[in-house]
Amino acid sequence: MIAGVLLCVTIIAGLVVHGAMPDTAATDIAGDVLYAVAAYLGVVLIAPRLPAPAVGAVAALWCIGVEFFQLTGLPLEWGVRLPPVMLVLGTVFDPRDLLAYVVAVVGATLIDLGCRTVGRRSH
């Protein structure tokens, strides 16, 4: 339940960054971070019993895989035809995005581990 709410908030924040803010390096990085956090939360929703480090690994692999998939040119081609595809698959490869994804997923994993530890202690 909490992961679902957080995912909705993250998606809304990502749409605001993408649609309402100027296109700068900072908003690009913010979008990458929000994308990676959304990927993390999506994995939590799909596999809620998966340990946080495994969730982080899956989310990081998804983000990195999508970024390298951009090298094929297909996400850009598909996004021109159907713009919402760009929100999921991006458009063009940017190596800086890889760092943003990894940092964001590590942060999400650490926060999740902390929340899980606090949750165990309170029961």
Side-chain angles (χ1 to χ4, degrees):
M1 164 94 172
I2 293 171
V5 170
L6 291 173
L7 179 57
C8 289
V9 169
T10 303
I11 290 170
I12 291 167
L15 290 171
V16 167
V17 167
H18 176 76
M21 300 184 83
D23 188 17
T24 66
T27 57
D28 183 54
I29 292 168
D32 294 339
V33 168
L34 290 166
Y35 181 86
V37 170
Y40 187 94
L41 293 166
V43 176
V44 169
L45 285 173
I46 293 167
R49 289 187 168 79
L50 203 59
V55 172
V58 171
L61 286 172
W62 167 264
C63 293
I64 291 167
V66 167
E67 193 65 30
F68 279 104
F69 182 57
Q70 293 169 4
L71 289 170
T72 67
L74 292 173
L76 179 59
E77 181 183 324
W78 297 341
V80 168
R81 292 186 195 146
L82 184 63
V85 168
M86 290 183 199
L87 298 173
V88 178
L89 298 179
T91 54
V92 295
F93 179 81
D94 184 348
R96 178 185 62 196
D97 294 351
L98 298 172
L99 179 60
Y101 295 146
V102 171
V103 170
V105 167
V106 168
T109 303
L110 292 173
I111 290 168
D112 190 10
L113 282 169
C115 290
R116 291 179 191 209
T117 300
V118 168
R120 279 192 295 264
R121 287 184 190 157
S122 66
H123 285 113

